Amino acid sequence: VAERPVVPAETAAPDVAPVQPRFDLNAGSPDLTAFPRPAWLSALRRALREAPAEALGYADPRGRVELRRALAGYLARARGVHAAPDRILVCSGFTHGVQLLGLTLRRRGARSFATEAYGHFVHHQAVAASGLDVPVVAVDEHGALTELLDGEDAVLLTPAHQFPLGGSLAPRRRLHAVEWARETGGLLVEDDYDGEFRYDRQPLGAMQALAPEHVVYAGTASKSLAPGLRLGWLVLPGDRYDEAVAARELMGGPSTLEQLALADFIESGAYDRQIRRRRIAYRNRRDALVAALAREVPGARVTGIEAGLHAVVELPGGVSEDEVVERAAARGVVVQALSEYHHGGPARPPALVVGYGTPPDHAFSGAVARLCAALAT
Ligand SMILES: Cc1ncc(COP(=O)(O)O)c(C=O)c1O
């Protein structure tokens, strides 16, 4: 027996954490330094202390009932979702949820699962990995053009806050989507990833409430708390629930202790408090970003700012996305081009997707100043 494990030098991967960029304006993450560690720790402690021994066994594929109950109350109150604990499935974030839905659609004999023409590349890939065709639905500043839906078996939409363009799905388009689902039996998948973060008006209610039997509502703790928790949830139509549970059984899910901690966190009011605090902080950041761009780069148009943790900055005439991304990188700023989120159909004018929620407080104004410098040069 060797005294130490022998790993040939040429195959040994360097055992280091990925380097965080100094000024990270990638979209997709909340400010991780604002994670409510003391409150989460209390919830986790209580969960561990009070969990019955049975909770440490192989888990219920639906997710812990304590969390499903807490979510049913929260989602009805905060997002207007028609949710009952026996329609909720706990999953490891939305990415897991969408894979799970892809598998259930395949098993049903579905052929296509459409996505928005601009959307998160990971979710687009997850849908494609299920082996289904992935047609795209065009989007503009009022969300997806749902009147173009036709023979698809399912479609993934971001109605509260189109990702990444930022508009909310116009009421007429919501109705079109629901009519399409009722007429064709197609499934609407509502990705409500940051619906709580709406700044100038009351949050828009979930589309699911219009047709709970045709919409899968999907939520996640990735923006409200942290993506590293890998906690998400689906609220499913009654006739799709059992097949989703069967798929989830194959795939596993988040740790029972984390589920119990989230249940406690919601029931104690800590989740609402965190969202209230973060909503104010992100709104202030958004205002600072918009003001700085108006002052320093008057030729840049900022859109999609009513909600969420990112904005779209259309580039002043004649400047290419690659050029600005490079100029930003030279100043230590990481930011993504809008075209990275494009999956088909006509392209939008060149723009950046600026994740103003991502940097920690101490790096935020430096990141914005450097971004403005990269845009103004
Ligand atoms: C459009 C969209 N939906 C959902 C999510 C959350 O995904 P997950 O719950 O897998 O972290 C993100 C995160 O970046 C997102 O951008």
Side-chain angles (χ1 to χ4, degrees), residues 28 92-96 120 123 158 163 191 193 220 222-223 227 230:
S92 299
F94 177 66
T95 311
H96 180 213
H120 203 296
H123 304 141
T158 46
F163 188 87
D191 175 11
Y193 61 103
T220 176
S222 290
K223 308 289 163 131
R230 304 316 301 139

Side-chain angles (χ1 to χ4, degrees), residues 73-354:
Y74 171 76
L75 294 174
R77 175 167 58 75
R79 306 293 303 121
V81 175
H82 287 225
D86 61 1
R87 294 284 177 86
I88 296 178
L89 190 62
V90 178
C91 49
S92 299
F94 177 66
T95 311
H96 180 213
V98 84
Q99 286 172 286
L100 204 146
L101 292 171
L103 180 61
T104 57
L105 284 161
R106 268 298 292 272
R107 286 179 165 178
R108 263 190 180 230
R111 297 246 275 274
S112 62
F113 189 171
T115 67
E116 292 169 322
Y118 280 85
H120 203 296
F121 31 81
V122 171
H123 304 141
H124 186 81
Q125 281 165 21
V127 173
S130 65
L132 296 162
D133 290 339
V134 196
V136 297
V137 185
V139 284
D140 64 18
E141 29 303 300
H142 305 294
L145 277 69
T146 52
E147 58 272 31
L148 301 180
L149 286 171
D150 188 14
E152 301 82 356
D153 291 296
V155 59
L156 170 57
L157 300 171
T158 46
H161 187 221
Q162 204 284 326
F163 188 87
L165 299 184
S168 53
L169 189 61
R172 272 172 56 94
R173 293 186 181 174
R174 287 180 174 229
L175 292 179
H176 270 300
V178 167
E179 269 165 33
W180 166 83
R182 288 205 175 109
E183 276 166 23
T184 66
L187 183 68
L188 294 165
V189 180
E190 174 172 27
D191 175 11
D192 192 36
Y193 61 103
D194 66 1
E196 290 97 344
F197 295 116
R198 190 163 189 89
Y199 304 124
D200 306 316
R201 278 180 280 147
Q202 286 293 316
L204 287 172
M207 183 176 72
Q208 186 260 12
L210 298 176
E213 292 310 319
H214 298 278
V215 181
V216 176
Y217 171 89
T220 176
S222 290
K223 308 289 163 131
S224 52
L225 289 170
L229 290 174
R230 304 316 301 139
L231 284 164
W233 42 91
L234 302 177
V235 183
L236 290 130
D239 65 345
R240 306 250 179 183
Y241 190 72
D242 289 345
E243 62 198 42
V245 175
R248 163 77 158 72
E249 225 157 349
L250 281 180
M251 294 174 142
S255 146
T256 301
L257 289 175
E258 302 289 341
Q259 294 185 44
L260 290 171
L262 181 58
D264 181 284
F265 200 76
I266 294 172
E267 299 286 13
S268 71
Y271 195 68
D272 285 312
R273 279 194 293 282
Q274 173 71 1
I275 284 170
R276 267 200 305 275
R277 275 197 295 264
R278 294 317 298 160
R279 194 187 288 132
I280 294 169
Y282 293 134
R283 190 185 57 211
N284 290 341
R285 286 186 182 201
R286 178 207 61 173
D287 293 347
L289 171 72
V290 171
L293 285 166
R295 205 173 47 238
E296 310 289 334
V297 203
R301 189 170 156 248
V302 195
T303 60
I305 54 173
E306 291 80 23
L309 313 184
H310 71 273
V312 173
V313 179
E314 285 184 18
L315 303 182
V319 188
S320 82
E321 289 181 346
D322 287 350
E323 217 176 309
V324 186
V325 168
E326 265 173 40
R327 291 204 303 243
R331 290 168 170 80
V333 177
V334 179
V335 66
Q336 273 156 330
L338 179 62
S339 55
E340 288 190 40
Y341 297 94
H342 186 213
H343 307 302
R348 312 267 316 167
L352 298 180
V353 180
V354 178

